[in-house]
Amino acid sequence: MPSRDFKRSDRISAMLRREVGVLVHAAARDHGLPSASVSDVEATKDLDVATVWVTVLQPERATEAVKALNELAGEFRRELSRTLRIRRVPELRFKYDKSVEQGERIESLLQQEKDQGRL
């Protein structure tokens, strides 16, 4: 019998990433929030909580977007319970993903070093 390469929580996380991404996009449009996208979802092993990492097109408005998404989390969870075929939808907790912003900063520092002839 072949072994499973990934856990159920990983499969649920991938499914939530797709579905929550659609809901976040619609919420940004409908509620006048800054454009946001879901970069990753991490569900706990017991599937009680899912941390949803979001990136925001306007980093200066990231706290506003994350706060609004956390307020809409209950509504998202109800919508997911209607569309997904899982027994219990995890509680959603939204957090800002700084990795894109940090990557751009590192890229600009490397470019500066290259321009100055140090690399």
Side-chain angles (χ1 to χ4, degrees):
M1 187 167 156
S3 66
R4 290 181 155 175
D5 288 348
F6 52 94
K7 303 177 196 111
R8 182 168 188 260
S9 61
D10 294 336
R11 292 191 309 269
I12 297 292
S13 293
M15 182 173 45
L16 286 171
R17 187 178 317 118
R18 285 189 303 273
E19 298 297 326
V20 173
V22 172
L23 294 173
V24 166
H25 179 70
R29 184 184 61 235
D30 296 343
H31 297 282
L33 300 174
S35 183
S37 62
V38 174
S39 60
D40 196 19
V41 175
E42 297 172 354
T44 57
K45 192 181 244 183
D46 59 3
L47 302 175
D48 277 346
V49 177
T51 303
V52 181
W53 296 94
V54 294
T55 58
V56 180
L57 195 56
Q58 300 168 328
E60 63 276 1
R61 294 182 64 194
T63 51
E64 171 193 348
V66 170
K67 181 180 178 188
L69 290 172
N70 276 313
E71 290 172 1
L72 292 168
E75 187 178 319
F76 291 159
R77 191 175 181 194
R78 275 189 298 282
E79 182 63 31
L80 291 170
S81 70
R82 291 185 208 115
T83 58
L84 299 180
R85 296 183 63 177
I86 56 177
R87 187 175 306 140
R88 187 173 177 280
V89 176
E91 174 188 340
L92 302 174
R93 295 182 184 165
F94 290 88
K95 294 191 177 187
Y96 179 61
D97 184 2
K98 297 178 188 175
S99 63
V100 173
E101 192 177 319
Q102 290 171 338
E104 289 174 355
R105 183 176 180 283
I106 290 170
E107 184 66 34
S108 71
L109 289 172
L110 288 172
Q111 188 61 42
Q112 286 175 1
E113 291 294 316
K114 184 178 177 185
D115 292 344
Q116 294 175 358
R118 294 183 189 165
L119 288 179

